[in-house]
Amino acid sequence: MDHRSPRFKQVASTGLLLLAAIIWGLCFVAQRSAMEYIGPFLFNGVRLMLATAALSVILLIILGIRRMRRPACKQHSNIKVSYIIKVSLLCGIILFVASNTQQIGLVTVTASKAAFITALYIVLVPVVGLFLKQKTRWNTWVSVGVAVAGLYLLCVSSSFTLALGDIILIVCALFWAFHILAVGHYAPLITLLQLFGMCTLQFAIAGILSLVCAPLADQSFVSAPLTFDAVTKVAPELLYAGLLSTGGAFTLAAVAQRHAKPTPAAIVMSTESVFGLLGGMFLLGETMSAREGVGCFLMLVAVLLTQWEFKRAAPS
């Protein structure tokens, strides 16, 4: 398969999105356990600034290599910088709301239920996309329904009731849908290097906003003290969430969305729930019920269905 062909790029994008989903799935454990020692805004503020620092170093290295090989075009760069800043500001604000509503929801909602509600962005992405006049193939709508059924079987094991934490997570899912659509719209319009810059800036914006809110709002959700000692207690969780889940997985997803449509991308990313469960089985010795096994199978079917190309037969 030619690496320049659209089909190869689509398959490669799916692979990157699946890798991001694996990292995100394992991060649910870190996010949930960290709430015993640290508030949601402080947790996200630190993780996002860690991601900003890591990507900044990578970006500087790339820029240094490019400058040695070829002098940058100053005029072209100046034109693009203002555009990148505007896009980063938009994506950063959306990321700030999405990540913090998710973290607040995890204070009171179980991880499995939170995973299901959050992953509802797979439904919200095509619904919101309709208002943006985006075309969605019929098999994508079918895969959305299959994925929702799979997520329900996978994550919801008891009676489903709607509490305040659930409502907060529904808001979170809506903003994740906004973020997927925003990145899916802007990523194909800029170069890969500019995309790295956009990711770095959006993390910085969301991180700064989170740190500003931490002393004002964290005590409303948890009783953990706002101290450096509290941060050190969750250092492993912060390093994983900051460097791998945020800096690594979000960047992988953004790169993949340069060649993937928003709705199929959302469905692939929603498999984070599956990988979260599998991680619990292999790392924590948890077991999988038959119901959860069926849920995993339906999620896999949904992902494969989004990648299947249905073509009408040519008229005879």
Side-chain angles (χ1 to χ4, degrees):
M1 186 183 297
D2 188 356
H3 71 278
R4 294 170 296 182
S5 68
R7 184 58 182 165
F8 176 86
K9 292 178 180 178
Q10 182 183 4
V11 173
S13 296
T14 301
L16 290 178
L17 290 170
L18 280 172
L19 180 57
I22 293 172
I23 298 172
W24 286 333
L26 297 177
C27 192
F28 262 102
V29 177
Q31 289 178 259
R32 187 74 172 92
S33 61
M35 289 301 93
E36 297 180 9
Y37 304 99
I38 191 174
F41 285 100
L42 181 57
F43 179 84
N44 275 326
V46 175
R47 75 182 282 199
L48 286 162
M49 295 314 293
L50 282 173
T52 301
L55 279 187
S56 295
V57 172
I58 296 173
L59 190 60
L60 288 174
I61 293 173
I62 295 175
L63 286 172
I65 294 173
R66 284 173 61 93
R67 186 166 295 180
M68 291 174 60
R69 292 180 176 179
R70 183 182 62 184
C73 179
K74 188 174 182 181
Q75 182 178 2
H76 178 74
S77 178
N78 288 336
I79 294 174
K80 290 295 183 181
V81 164
S82 61
Y83 178 79
I84 296 300
I85 291 175
K86 291 178 182 178
V87 173
S88 301
L89 182 61
L90 172 63
C91 292
I93 292 173
I94 297 174
L95 178 61
F96 162 73
V97 178
S99 60
N100 282 292
T101 48
Q102 182 184 65
Q103 202 62 39
I104 291 170
L106 280 166
V107 174
T108 58
V109 179
T110 62
S112 60
K113 191 174 182 181
F116 170 69
I117 299 175
T118 301
L120 284 176
Y121 60 68
I122 65 172
V123 178
L124 296 173
V125 165
V127 171
V128 175
L130 287 177
F131 293 96
L132 300 177
K133 298 181 180 180
Q134 292 184 353
K135 294 182 179 179
T136 302
R137 295 181 303 175
W138 68 268
N139 61 299
T140 300
W141 285 108
V142 173
S143 64
V144 166
V146 174
V148 170
L151 282 167
Y152 182 84
L153 294 174
L154 180 63
C155 300
V156 182
S157 57
S158 59
S159 59
F160 193 95
T161 57
L162 196 64
L164 178 60
D166 303 329
I167 296 173
I168 292 173
L169 285 170
I170 290 173
V171 174
C172 156
L174 179 62
F175 275 86
W176 280 131
F178 289 153
H179 192 264
I180 291 170
L181 288 166
V183 174
H185 174 74
Y186 291 112
L189 305 178
I190 56 180
T191 66
L192 189 60
L193 180 63
Q194 291 162 353
L195 182 62
F196 269 89
M198 187 200 81
C199 289
T200 305
L201 279 175
Q202 74 161 342
F203 293 155
I205 291 166
I208 291 171
L209 290 174
S210 298
L211 290 176
V212 169
C213 291
L216 303 174
D218 269 352
Q219 292 297 314
S220 300
F221 304 105
V222 296
S223 58
L226 189 68
T227 62
F228 179 75
D229 183 57
V231 174
T232 59
K233 287 181 178 179
V234 292
E237 289 90 341
L238 282 169
L239 288 172
Y240 182 90
L243 300 181
L244 287 178
S245 180
T246 305
F250 269 96
T251 304
L252 285 175
V255 171
Q257 284 186 262
R258 298 181 75 227
H259 305 292
K261 294 182 180 180
T263 298
I267 293 174
V268 177
M269 286 187 279
S270 71
T271 58
E272 64 184 282
S273 298
V274 176
F275 295 115
L277 177 61
L278 294 176
M281 290 176 59
F282 290 106
L283 298 177
L284 303 177
E286 297 175 352
T287 58
M288 180 187 292
S289 66
R291 174 191 177 99
E292 291 168 333
V294 174
C296 287
F297 175 75
L298 290 177
M299 290 294 295
L300 177 61
V301 170
V303 172
L304 294 176
L305 187 58
T306 63
Q307 303 304 306
W308 196 272
E309 291 187 349
F310 292 90
K311 296 182 180 180
R312 295 180 179 179
S316 56

